[in-house]
C-alpha cells in the first residue's frame, strides 16, 4: 500500500496553506503562532519551493537560490521566525562586475556606490544623492507610469555603462527589465543598497530545517507529498481543499502556488467575475532561469579573491533581451567556500545562473534537450576559465537545470523563477474580494519576489487572514 | 484606556518591533519615519500587534493615521477607550 502522507490529519482546519515556498512557510508560521489550526501542504517531498538545495555524491550540497538577499531578511527572520535564524544571516563582501565596459569589486551599498558613481563614472555628487533618494522614496501609488529605463535616463542620460551597473544585478535578482515600472526597481534596489548583500550561513538545507522546527513549535501540521488538486468554494466563500484523495474543510485557504495556477487550475475560472478573469489573463509571467552547478575536488580550492558573487558578461552593452537569450553572454557566478556550511565537509562550489525563456526550452525533444544541457555546461566552463584557471580540468562534477527543471519541481507555469510581472500583484491582492477566505501569497508583481519579498508578502497576507478569521 | 495609556501601549509595540531603537527621545509631533529606522513592514507590525494584543482592527485605508505618535493616539482613542489597560 502506498504511504498515506495525510495519516492523522484532521477533517477541518482554520487555514490550509498550499505550498511551502518562503511565503507559504511564513504565512503558516505566523498564523500557527497566533493560535490558529493550520495545515501546510506541499506537493514535493521537500519544503522550501525555490529556496532549495540538492545533494550529490562525494558530499556536495548545491544551493539553488542562495546567491544573496538584502539585509531586511535579518529583521524579517527575527520578527516572523526566530532569533537563531536571524543570527545566521551574514554579509557577502565580494560582489564583482566584469564586462567590456568595466571591472570592479564592491560591497554593493549606497556609500560605495556613491563613491563609484562619482569617482569612477564621473557623475556629480548631487545627482547621485538625488538618484538614491528618488529610488528610496518611490511611492507605490504614483511611480507606476514611469519605467525603470526612463527613471535612469532622467538622472544618467545616455550612460549605458551606469545603467548596466545599476540594472544588471536587479535583473538577476527578480527578472525585472528597463521596461517594467520604476517602482519595481526602486524598492528592490534600495533594499539592497541600504546595507549590501547578505547570505545564510549554514546553507538552504539548514535554513529550511530551522523553519520546519519553528513550524512544529507553533503546532502547524506540515505535510509533504500532498498535492492540492482543487479548492472548493460555495456561495462565494472557500469551503474545503481536495488534498490527494481527501477533502479537508477550512475557513481560509492561502495558496502559495503560482498565481495563475491557483486561479485557473486549482480554483477554476467559473467561480470568478468575468472582469477579474480578464485581468488575470493579462498577467504576464516572469522569466525562468538556467543554472550550472559545479564542484571542485576535495583538496582543491577557489582563491577567496575570486569573490562571492560575480556578474560577468562579454556583451558590449547591457540589454534585457540579451540576458534572456539562449546565446548566453551574461552569467552570474556564485562562489561557495567552506564557510557556507561550516558544519559540513569543506567544499568549493560554483553555481552559474542565467535568466532564460521558457519557449526556448519547452519544444526540444529528448535528444535536443540533453544536447542543449551539455552545451550549456560546456559554454559555462569556458566562461568560468577566466575566473577559475583551468576550470575545465578542475571541475569534478557538473550538472545543469533549465526552465523545465524549475517547472517540474515547483509547478510554476513556464518555470517562472520570480512569479509574475507587476500587474500580478493587484490580481493577487484582489483574490479575497472575489472569494471570501481565499488568498494568494507567493512571488508576484516583481517586488514581492525573492527570499525577502516572498517572506514579507507572507506577512502581509497573514495579516489579512488574521483580520478575516478574527 | 486613556490617551496616555494608549501612548504607552504603542511605545511598547514599537519597542517589540525595533528593540535596538532608543525610544526615550521620541518626539510625539514628528513622524516616526523621520526619527526611527522604520519601513512599511514595521507599520504593518504595529497593525498586527494592535490586533493581537487589543483586538483592534486597523483597515488598510487607515494606515496613514499611524504616521506619528500624536496622530496614532488620536486615531486609536475612539477604538480603544473602552478597553481596560
Ligand atoms: C534559479 C533561481 C535563483 C534565485 N536566486 C535568488 C537569490 O539569490 N535571492 C533571492 O532572494 N531570491 C532568489 N530567487 C527567487 C526566490 O527563490 C523565490 O522568489 C522565492 O523562493 C519564491 O518563494 P514563493 O513563496 O513564491 O514560493 P515558491 O518557491 O515558488 O514555492 C511554491 C511552492 O508551492 C508548491 N506547490 C505548487 N502547487 C502546489 C499544489 N497544487 N499543491 C501543493 N503544493 C504546491 C510548490 O511545490 C512549491 O514548493 C531565485 C530563484 C531561482 C529560480
Amino acid at each position: 500500500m502506498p504511504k498515506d502522507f495525510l495519516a492523522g490529519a484532521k477533517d477541518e482546519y482554520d487555514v490550509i496553506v498550499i505550498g511551502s515556498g518562503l511565503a507559504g512557510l511564513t504565512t503558516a508560521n505566523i498564523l500557527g503562532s497566533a493560535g490558529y489550526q493550520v495545515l501546510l501542504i506541499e506537493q514535493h517531498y521537500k519544503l522550501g519551493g525555490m529556496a532549495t538545495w540538492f545533494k550529490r555524491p562525494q558530499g556536495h550540497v548545491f544551493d539553488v537560490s542562495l546567491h544573496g538577499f538584502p539585509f531586511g531578511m535579518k529583521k524579517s527572520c527575527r520578527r516572523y521566525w526566530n532569533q537563531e535564524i536571524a543570527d545566521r544571516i551574514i554579509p557577502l563582501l565580494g560582489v564583482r562586475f566584469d564586462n567590456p565596459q568595466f571591472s570592479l569589486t564592491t560591497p554593493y551599498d549606497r556609500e560605495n556606490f556613491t563613491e563609484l558613481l562619482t569617482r569612477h563614472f564621473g557623475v556629480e555628487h548631487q545627482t547621485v544623492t538625488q538618484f538614491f533618494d528618488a529610488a528610496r522614496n518611490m511611492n507605490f501609488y504614483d511611480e507606476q507610469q514611469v519605467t525603470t529605463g526612463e527613471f535612469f535616463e532622467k538622472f544618467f542620460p545616455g550612460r549605458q555603462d551606469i545603467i548596466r551597473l545599476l540594472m544588471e544585478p536587479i535583473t538577476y535578482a527578480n527578472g525585472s527589465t528597463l521596461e517594467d515600472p520604476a517602482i519595481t526597481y526602486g524598492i528592490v534596489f534600495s533594499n539592497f543598497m541600504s546595507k549590501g548583500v547578505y547570505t545564510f550561513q549554514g546553507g538552504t538545507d539548514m535554513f529550511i530545517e530551522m523553519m520546519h522546527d519553528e513550524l512544529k513549535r507553533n503546532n502547524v501540521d506540515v505535510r509533504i507529498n500532498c498535492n492540492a488538486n482543487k479548492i472548493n468554494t460555495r456561495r462565494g466563500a472557500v469551503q474545503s481543499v481536495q488534498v490527494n484523495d481527501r477533502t479537508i474543510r477550512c475557513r481560509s485557504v492561502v495558496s502559495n502556488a503560482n498565481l495563475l495556477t491557483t486561479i485557473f487550475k486549482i480554483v477554476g475560472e467559473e467561480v470568478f467575475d468575468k472582469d477579474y478573469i480578464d485581468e488575470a489573463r493579462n498577467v504576464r509571467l516572469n522569466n525562468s532561469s538556467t543554472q550550472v552547478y559545479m564542484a571542485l575536488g576535495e583538496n582543491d580550492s577557489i582563491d577567496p579573491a575570486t569573490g562571492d558573487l560575480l556578474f560577468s558578461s562579454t556583451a558590449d552593452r547591457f540589454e534585457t533581451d540579451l540576458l534572456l537569450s539562449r546565446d548566453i553572454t551574461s552569467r552570474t557566478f556564485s562562489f561557495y567556500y567552506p564557510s557556507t556550511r561550516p558544519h559540513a565537509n569543506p567544499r568549493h562550489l560554483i553555481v552559474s545562473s542565467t535568466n532564460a525563456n521558457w519557449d526556448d526550452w519547452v519544444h526540444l525533444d529528448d535528444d535536443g534537450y540533453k544536447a542543449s544541457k551539455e552545451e550549456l555546461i560546456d559554454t559555462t566552463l569556458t566562461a568560468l576559465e577566466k575566473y577559475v584557471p583551468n576550470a575545465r580540468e578542475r571541475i569534478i562534477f557538473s550538472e545543469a537545470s533549465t526552465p523545465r527543471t524549475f517547472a517540474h519541481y515547483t509547478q510554476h507555469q513556464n518555470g517562472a523563477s520570480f512569479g509574475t510581472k507587476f500587474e500580478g500583484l493587484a490580481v493577487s491582492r484582489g483574490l479575497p474580494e472575489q472569494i471570501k477566505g481565499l488568498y494568494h501569497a507567493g512571488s508576484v508583481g516583481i517586488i514581492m519576489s525573492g527570499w525577502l519579498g516572498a517572506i514579507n508578502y507572507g506577512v502581509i497576507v497573514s495579516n489579512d487572514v488574521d483580520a478575516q478569521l478574527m | 484606556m486613556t490617551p496616555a495609556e494608549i501612548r504607552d501601549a504603542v511605545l511598547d509595540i514599537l519597542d517589540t518591533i525595533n528593540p535596538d531603537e532608543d525610544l526615550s527621545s521620541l518626539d510625539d509631533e514628528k513622524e516616526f519615519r523621520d526619527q526611527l529606522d522604520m519601513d512599511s513592514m514595521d507599520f504593518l507590525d504595529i497593525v498586527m500587534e494592535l490586533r493581537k494584543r487589543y483586538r483592534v482592527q486597523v483597515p488598510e485605508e487607515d494606515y496613514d493615521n499611524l504616521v506619528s505618535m500624536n496622530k496614532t493616539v488620536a486615531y486609536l482613542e475612539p477604538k480603544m477607550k473602552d478597553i481596560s489597560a
Side-chain angles (χ1 to χ4, degrees):
Chain A
M1 228 183 81
K3 186 168 175 215
D4 177 11
F5 289 98
L6 281 170
K10 292 184 294 186
D11 292 326
E12 181 164 7
Y13 291 81
D14 293 320
V15 189
I16 299 180
V17 178
I18 300 171
S20 68
L22 294 177
L25 288 168
T26 304
T27 310
N29 194 49
I30 292 176
L31 294 172
S33 76
Y36 294 109
Q37 313 250 3
V38 182
L39 173 67
L40 173 66
I41 52 170
E42 166 57 50
Q43 55 91 21
H44 190 37
Y45 57 79
K46 245 173 168 169
L47 302 177
M50 296 287 194
T52 198
W53 69 96
F54 59 91
K55 297 187 170 149
R56 287 297 177 260
Q58 300 188 38
H60 302 307
V61 186
F62 292 99
D63 295 286
V64 170
S65 64
L66 184 61
H67 308 283
F69 43 69
F71 179 73
M73 269 291 281
K74 212 176 170 83
K75 196 160 94 186
S76 288
C77 286
R78 175 171 60 73
R79 294 274 304 133
Y80 315 115
W81 287 96
N82 60 40
Q83 189 67 46
E84 290 69 46
I85 293 178
D87 286 344
R88 293 198 152 267
I89 290 171
I90 54 164
L92 270 188
L93 299 172
V95 179
R96 278 174 76 187
F97 290 79
D98 184 40
N99 61 57
Q101 287 169 304
F102 53 88
S103 289
L104 51 90
T105 301
T106 165
Y108 204 73
D109 58 17
R110 178 167 175 166
E111 192 185 335
N112 184 263
F113 257 48
T114 303
E115 166 108 6
L116 273 176
L117 286 167
T118 49
R119 292 246 178 113
H120 191 104
F121 292 88
V123 183
E124 287 288 331
H125 198 282
Q126 199 192 349
T127 310
V128 177
T129 305
Q130 283 167 351
F131 165 75
F132 273 108
D133 289 345
R136 199 187 53 196
N137 295 330
M138 266 184 195
N139 180 320
F140 199 84
Y141 302 98
D142 49 46
E143 306 289 344
Q144 292 171 31
Q145 314 307 327
V146 185
T147 66
T148 304
E150 288 161 357
F151 179 66
F152 287 142
E153 206 49 37
K154 202 166 124 194
F155 293 94
F156 314 110
R159 290 298 299 269
Q160 285 295 325
D161 52 345
I162 294 181
I163 291 177
R164 180 175 219 157
L165 174 74
L166 297 173
M167 192 65 199
E168 205 164 56
I170 305 301
T171 300
Y172 275 115
N174 61 21
S176 79
T177 69
L178 293 171
E179 293 75 39
D180 286 314
I183 183 178
T184 61
Y185 177 80
I187 290 181
V188 178
F189 179 70
S190 303
N191 279 345
F192 274 111
M193 279 290 133
S194 82
K195 292 208 170 74
V197 185
Y198 284 72
T199 189
F200 185 85
Q201 187 163 51
T204 315
D205 40 346
M206 182 183 281
F207 180 60
I208 297 296
E209 193 185 303
M210 288 173 87
M211 287 182 153
H212 193 179
D213 289 342
E214 185 65 28
L215 287 169
K216 285 188 254 176
R217 276 193 284 276
N218 289 320
N219 301 314
V220 175
D221 191 350
V222 181
R223 306 279 174 159
I224 55 166
N225 289 314
C226 285
N227 191 75
N229 305 315
K230 181 113 185 87
I231 297 171
N232 299 313
T233 67
R234 197 162 148 250
R235 288 201 221 109
V238 293
Q239 195 182 36
S240 60
V241 179
Q242 271 167 248
V243 190
N244 294 354
D245 54 1
R246 276 182 65 181
T247 300
I248 301 178
R249 291 192 306 278
C250 57
R251 296 161 67 200
S252 286
V253 174
V254 178
S255 175
N256 177 225
N258 182 283
L259 175 67
L260 301 182
T261 312
T262 303
I263 295 171
F264 292 102
K265 267 182 67 189
I266 313 182
V267 182
E269 62 184 272
E270 61 285 354
V271 303
F272 297 96
D273 290 346
K274 192 185 160 297
D275 289 352
Y276 181 81
I277 289 299
D278 287 345
E279 201 184 332
R281 268 192 225 292
N282 285 325
V283 172
R284 295 161 298 162
L285 290 163
N286 217 323
N287 62 263
S288 188
S289 309
T290 68
Q291 288 189 313
V292 179
Y293 313 93
M294 295 162 283
L296 288 182
E298 211 171 322
N299 301 313
D300 200 352
S301 62
I302 305 168
D303 177 1
T306 313
D308 297 298
L309 194 56
L310 166 63
F311 299 100
S312 104
S313 175
T314 53
D316 288 334
R317 46 183 276 157
F318 172 81
E319 270 173 55
T320 318
D321 288 350
L322 286 180
L323 284 193
L324 287 164
S325 163
R326 274 213 41 204
D327 179 16
I328 297 167
T329 47
S330 302
R331 296 177 173 78
T332 307
F333 289 107
S334 277
F335 299 98
Y336 297 94
Y337 302 88
S339 57
T340 311
R341 285 186 172 72
H343 58 288
N345 303 326
R347 289 287 185 277
H348 289 81
L349 309 173
I350 304 150
V351 176
S352 163
S353 311
T354 60
N355 291 357
N357 284 319
W358 171 252
D359 288 342
D360 287 337
W361 290 88
V362 68
H363 303 296
L364 301 171
D365 61 21
D366 285 356
D367 286 344
Y369 183 55
K370 217 170 144 231
S372 296
K373 275 173 115 172
E374 269 157 27
E375 190 198 330
L376 174 62
I377 293 173
D378 190 64
T379 51
T380 303
L381 287 172
T382 305
L384 182 63
E385 300 250 301
K386 183 170 179 197
Y387 311 106
V388 178
N390 306 317
R392 196 175 287 278
E393 291 90 68
R394 292 166 63 196
I395 297 294
I396 59 160
F397 173 88
S398 60
E399 187 169 330
S401 64
T402 75
R404 280 156 72 160
T405 320
F406 296 108
H408 174 75
Y409 284 111
T410 63
Q411 302 193 358
H412 267 294
Q413 292 197 15
N414 297 6
S417 300
F418 317 101
T420 73
K421 289 289 185 185
F422 188 65
E423 63 274 8
L425 185 54
V427 174
S428 167
R429 300 294 292 151
L431 206 53
E433 287 156 31
Q434 291 288 313
I435 311 282
K436 188 164 179 270
L438 179 61
Y439 301 84
H440 168 256
S443 43
V444 75
I446 301 179
I447 48 178
M448 296 303 177
S449 67
W451 285 31
L452 178 62
I455 286 180
N456 284 352
Y457 197 37
V459 176
I460 292 170
V461 172
S462 307
N463 176 52
D464 298 339
V465 176
D466 185 31
Q468 179 235 330
L469 289 178
M470 195 181 99
Chain B
M1 284 174 117
T2 64
E5 285 164 347
I6 296 173
R7 183 182 185 277
D8 283 346
V10 176
L11 265 188
D12 200 58
I13 289 175
L14 288 175
D15 190 51
T16 313
I17 297 170
N18 276 320
D20 309 330
E21 204 86 59
D22 175 21
L23 297 168
S24 58
S25 56
L26 189 78
D27 182 338
D28 288 11
E29 285 288 330
K30 285 206 202 125
E31 296 202 357
F32 291 131
R33 246 181 220 281
D34 297 337
Q35 310 174 70
L36 308 170
D37 183 18
M38 281 181 78
D39 57 27
S40 55
M41 293 306 288
D42 293 315
F43 286 95
L44 186 63
D45 282 341
I46 300 180
V47 172
M48 295 202 292
E49 288 297 323
L50 284 169
R51 186 179 322 104
K52 193 154 99 194
R53 298 181 188 191
Y54 306 102
R55 315 210 106 219
V56 170
Q57 296 268 29
V58 182
E60 201 171 333
E61 57 272 20
D62 290 354
Y63 287 4
D64 288 355
N65 292 294
L66 308 180
V67 287
S68 68
M69 183 58 93
N70 280 348
K71 289 201 173 134
T72 304
V73 174
Y75 170 76
L76 291 175
E77 209 191 324
K79 289 178 178 277
M80 294 176 75
K81 67 176 192 308
D82 297 333
I83 299 172
S84 50

